[in-house]
Amino acid sequence: MDVIDKTAEQNLKDLILENPELILRDADLMRALLQADRSTAGRNVVDLRAVLVERLEERLDKLEDTHREVLAAAYENVAGTNQIHRACLSVLEPESFASFLDVMTHDLATTLAVDVVRLGLEAPGAEAGSGLGPEGPSRNVVIALPDGGATAYVTQGRGMGARKITLRQLAQASPDLYGEYAPTVRSEAVMMLDLGPGKRPGLLAVGAEEPDRFHADQGTDLLVFFTGIFERALRRWLA
């Protein structure tokens, strides 16, 4: 009987030595060890208080880090939502197409914190990359695209369906679309525009100098909402 008990004891000891986390992760075992009578236990019981405190501090640090990350993400979501709401209101206010383009170029760029905004419309009869806007400073805000040019630009000729929102970093921005801004644009958000029945598609491109401003890992839900508002506002002027 003693042999069996000593064998079981040795097996338990070996198991604990092999994986002490079994005890350190178990709250009941830790409480029992900490409550052990040190006067009777002698030298056979190791004081695990320091180990327990260290583990609790590590867990507290991890919880604090997680807490900060959750708060930061929540703040970014709220800030992003407010940003998109302001952008939507700005494109709904203009009472003329010229005013709409002015808002798009200045107010919208400021609200979205980007460096350049361009509207691309398919116009097979016009030279690709030429300005379609009204005469004046807004002339090159609207850019002529060839037939199928909106989809081709979004997919970069890969022959797949164009997503509603495309976020990406750029080694070289399109001179046809961004003109003089092309050398400095390093990331962009491209929104495919549905301009209504019988109308060719278009695109709204916003470019930024920062390479990390737009990238494929970012969420697009808010931009999908904004695109729906923008294309409905634009339809009024293209009817």
Side-chain angles (χ1 to χ4, degrees), residues 86-98:
R86 293 196 304 272
C88 290
L89 291 175
S90 69
V91 299
L92 291 174
E93 291 178 354
E95 298 182 356
S96 69
F97 187 51

Side-chain angles (χ1 to χ4, degrees), residues 25-103:
R25 288 199 303 260
D26 191 295
D28 293 333
L29 286 175
M30 291 299 295
R31 277 194 293 270
L33 288 171
L34 292 173
Q35 292 170 2
D37 186 350
R38 302 178 76 182
S39 63
T40 59
R43 296 182 179 180
N44 292 326
V45 177
V46 179
D47 187 0
L48 296 175
R49 288 177 174 82
V51 178
L52 177 60
V53 170
E54 182 180 348
R55 291 304 174 92
L56 290 175
E57 288 177 345
E58 290 177 359
R59 292 178 183 177
L60 180 59
D61 289 341
K62 290 180 180 178
L63 286 173
E64 289 179 343
D65 290 342
T66 301
H67 181 64
R68 283 192 291 268
E69 290 174 2
V70 170
L71 286 178
Y75 175 79
E76 288 180 2
N77 285 338
V78 171
T81 300
N82 290 336
Q83 184 183 44
I84 292 299
H85 286 171
R86 293 196 304 272
C88 290
L89 291 175
S90 69
V91 299
L92 291 174
E93 291 178 354
E95 298 182 356
S96 69
F97 187 51
S99 178
F100 178 83
L101 294 179
D102 185 63
V103 165

Side-chain angles (χ1 to χ4, degrees), residues 110-125:
T110 300
T111 301
L112 297 180
V114 296
D115 297 290
V116 56
V117 180
R118 288 293 181 263
L119 173 62
L121 299 178
E122 293 188 6

Side-chain angles (χ1 to χ4, degrees), residues 104-106 108-110 112-119 140-141 173 177-182 184-189 204-209 214:
M104 189 184 81
T105 307
H106 300 98
L108 187 59
T110 300
L112 297 180
V114 296
D115 297 290
V116 56
V117 180
R118 288 293 181 263
L119 173 62
N140 293 321
V141 172
L177 187 62
Y178 290 112
E180 62 183 7
Y181 291 91
T184 60
V185 172
R186 287 295 173 263
S187 64
E188 66 177 357
L204 177 68
V206 296
E209 294 181 359
F214 299 109

